Amino acid sequence: MTVEKRIFNFSAGPAVLPLPVLEKARDELLSWHGTGMSVMEFSHRSLHFESILEAAEKGIRRLLTVPENYRILFLQGGASLQFSMVPMNLLGHQDTADYVITGAWGTKAAREARRCGNVNIIYSDEANGFRAVPKVGELNFSRDASYIHYTSNETIHGVEFKYDLDAFGIPVVCDASSNILSKPIDIEKYALVYAGAQKNLGPSGVTVVIVRDDILERVAVNQHSMLDLRALARNSSMLNTPNTWGIYLIGLVCEWLDAEGGAAMMQRRNEEKSALLYDAIDSSDGYYTGHAERDARSVMNVTFRLRTNELNDKFCDEATVAGMDGLKGHRTIGGIRASIYNAFPREGVEGLVDFMREFARVNE
Ligand code: PMP
C-alpha cells in the first residue's frame, strides 16, 4: 500500500502511529543499525536491546520530566493487569484504597481492587452517565487510604481530568492509558502512573509503569514474581522476555515526539484539534450532542451522538466510505467517538468537521 492510500484512523486503540515512526521501523525491519538482524530477532539480553530499552526509558523520562527517584517499567498484560497488580502490591486485606470513578475503566479497576482489600468509592459519576469529573478540592479522601486511584482520561466516555489530582500526601495512582504524553503533567504529584501503550505510545502489548521508589518499598511480600512491581523494577523490566518490538517502537515514538516539540507542543495541537470538533458539535443547533460536560471534555476522545441510532450508524458508514475509519462509539454507550491522539493529523479532524457539516445538511 502506498503512503497516499493511508486513511484517517479514528480508532480508540490500537490507534494511528506517526508516519515517520512506521517508516523508520520499516526501513530498519530487516537489519537494525547494520546488525543484519531485525529487532524481533535479537536477544533481549544483547547490547543491542539494552540500548533500545535505554532509549525508550530515557525518552519517556525526558518527555515527562520524570525525576531520578522514579522507575520506568515496560510490562505486559495491558493496563488491565495493572488494575490487579496495583492493589496486589499496594493494598493489604485490612486496608482501604480510594477510587474515583469517572467511566468504564475506573469501574473495572475498582472491581479488581476489591479482591485485595477495601475499596472506598469516593466519587462516581455513574448515575449521570459518566459525563463529569470532580472539581478541584471536591473529594474527601479516606483517612489512612493506602492510595487513591483515578483514570485521567476515560476513553469510552470521553471524559478527562484537566488537572493533576492532589491527595495531600496519599499516594496517587493514575491510569493514564489514553492521555499519557498528550500534555505535560506534574509527575511528582503521582506515586504510580500506568498506561497501555496502544494509544499515544506505540503498539499494544506493552504497558508503561512509572513508579516512585518509596512506593516499591511498600510492596507486599511474597508476590508472584511476574506480578511483583519491586522485583520487576529491580530487574529492569526483564524478569522474563519483554515485548522487545513494542519497546523499540516506544523509543521511536519518543524520538518523534522530541522532534515535534514534546508534550507541550502536543498539548497545543491536541487542544486545537479537539476544539475544532467540539465547535462543530456546539454550532450544529443540536444536530450533534456532546456526551461529556464541557469542563470534562476529553481532548483525546471526542464523544457525541446524533438524534437516532440509525443516524449514528449511517454517519459511521458514510464516514468510512469517505476515508475516515473507527468512528463508531463503544458498544456500551453507542454514538460516535473520534479518537484523536498525538499522531492523529489535524487535516483528518478538519475533514471530519467538513463531513459533519455536510452530513447534517443532507440528513436534516
Ligand atoms: N484503561 C484505559 C483508560 C483504557 O482506555 C484501556 C483500553 N482501552 C484500558 C485501561 C485497558 O487497556 P488494555 O487493553 O491495555 O488492558
Side-chain angles (χ1 to χ4, degrees):
M1 184 188 263
T2 59
V3 167
E4 286 73 25
K5 292 227 182 88
R6 279 177 65 80
I7 58 158
F8 290 123
N9 175 11
F10 289 90
S11 170
V16 59
L17 282 163
L19 190 57
V21 166
L22 295 177
E23 287 170 338
K24 186 154 187 195
R26 176 197 61 196
D27 294 347
E28 296 182 340
L29 184 66
L30 300 186
S31 175
W32 180 81
H33 293 198
T35 55
M37 293 180 278
S38 174
V39 172
M40 285 180 274
E41 296 175 308
F42 49 68
S43 166
H44 60 296
R45 306 278 175 204
S46 65
L47 286 177
H48 309 314
F49 184 69
E50 216 173 87
S51 74
I52 285 172
L53 182 62
E54 193 181 301
E57 194 212 304
K58 284 200 167 139
I60 289 175
R61 199 174 283 284
R62 193 172 52 244
L63 287 159
L64 283 177
T65 332
V66 180
E68 281 307 314
N69 62 325
Y70 286 74
R71 298 305 105 220
I72 299 177
L73 312 179
F74 299 93
L75 308 181
Q76 298 178 58
S80 301
L81 187 56
Q82 294 310 309
F83 296 167
S84 303
M85 276 175 72
V86 165
M88 286 172 84
N89 282 264
L90 302 177
L91 182 62
H93 287 305
Q94 309 295 329
D95 299 336
T96 298
D98 286 350
Y99 274 70
V100 176
I101 313 286
T102 53
W105 295 107
T107 306
K108 289 194 176 175
R111 190 178 305 143
E112 298 305 323
R114 279 196 195 94
R115 300 179 202 277
C116 297
N118 302 310
V119 167
N120 191 10
I121 307 289
I122 58 167
Y123 177 94
S124 171
D125 194 45
E126 186 172 8
N128 184 35
F130 293 129
R131 294 166 200 274
V133 300
K135 305 222 170 349
V136 179
E138 181 185 337
L139 297 173
N140 288 319
F141 306 106
S142 304
R143 216 156 24 100
D144 302 327
S146 296
Y147 62 85
I148 166 172
H149 179 284
Y150 80 109
T151 314
S152 52
N153 183 64
E154 279 285 355
T155 323
I156 292 175
H157 294 88
V159 165
E160 184 173 23
F161 278 77
K162 305 295 168 176
Y163 59 95
D164 299 303
L165 203 148
D166 194 336
F168 309 101
I170 300 170
V172 175
V173 174
C174 179
D175 175 1
S177 291
S178 50
N179 70 352
I180 193 164
L181 275 170
S182 66
K183 59 183 177 184
I185 57 170
D186 182 358
I187 201 86
E188 291 186 78
K189 288 234 167 81
Y190 299 88
L192 188 153
V193 175
Y194 63 91
Q198 65 269 24
K199 295 143 201 320
N200 260 343
L201 296 174
S204 60
V206 199
T207 309
V208 171
V209 177
I210 305 171
V211 56
R212 211 171 57 212
D213 285 336
D214 63 288
I215 294 299
L216 292 174
E217 294 316 312
R218 298 173 22 167
V219 165
V221 291
N222 206 22
Q223 299 287 341
H224 288 258
S225 307
M226 284 303 294
L227 303 173
D228 184 333
L229 279 171
R230 180 167 37 199
L232 288 158
R234 282 193 180 145
N235 288 277
S236 307
S237 311
M238 296 230 280
L239 265 181
N240 74 334
T241 319
N243 179 345
T244 54
W245 176 256
I247 294 168
Y248 160 67
L249 278 187
I250 290 177
L252 295 188
V253 168
C254 289
E255 227 176 67
W256 174 79
L257 280 167
D258 266 333
E260 293 293 309
M265 181 56 84
M266 288 302 126
Q267 177 172 34
R268 220 176 94 189
R269 285 193 201 157
N270 291 329
E271 284 178 356
E272 284 174 10
K273 286 188 295 183
S274 62
L276 289 173
L277 280 176
Y278 287 120
D279 287 349
I281 292 166
D282 293 339
S283 63
S284 71
D285 286 331
Y287 192 85
Y288 300 105
T289 317
H291 178 79
E293 289 176 8
R294 271 167 200 268
D295 59 357
R297 283 175 160 178
S298 170
V299 165
M300 298 276 93
N301 311 97
V302 178
T303 45
F304 59 98
R305 56 175 57 81
L306 291 82
R307 277 192 308 271
T308 64
N309 288 338
E310 290 67 37
L311 277 174
N312 287 328
D313 289 345
K314 187 163 193 255
F315 181 97
C316 289
D317 291 347
E318 292 185 11
T320 307
V321 173
M324 291 177 275
D325 195 50
L327 282 162
K328 201 169 171 50
H330 191 270
R331 61 186 183 283
T332 49
I333 74 162
I336 314 291
R337 171 174 54 174
S339 298
I340 47 172
Y341 300 116
N342 286 345
F344 191 92
R346 185 189 169 103
E347 307 83 74
V349 174
E350 289 167 347
L352 179 58
V353 167
D354 290 344
F355 177 84
M356 287 167 73
R357 298 224 162 100
E358 184 59 13
F359 188 90
R361 193 182 65 75
V362 173
N363 297 279
E364 249 318 323

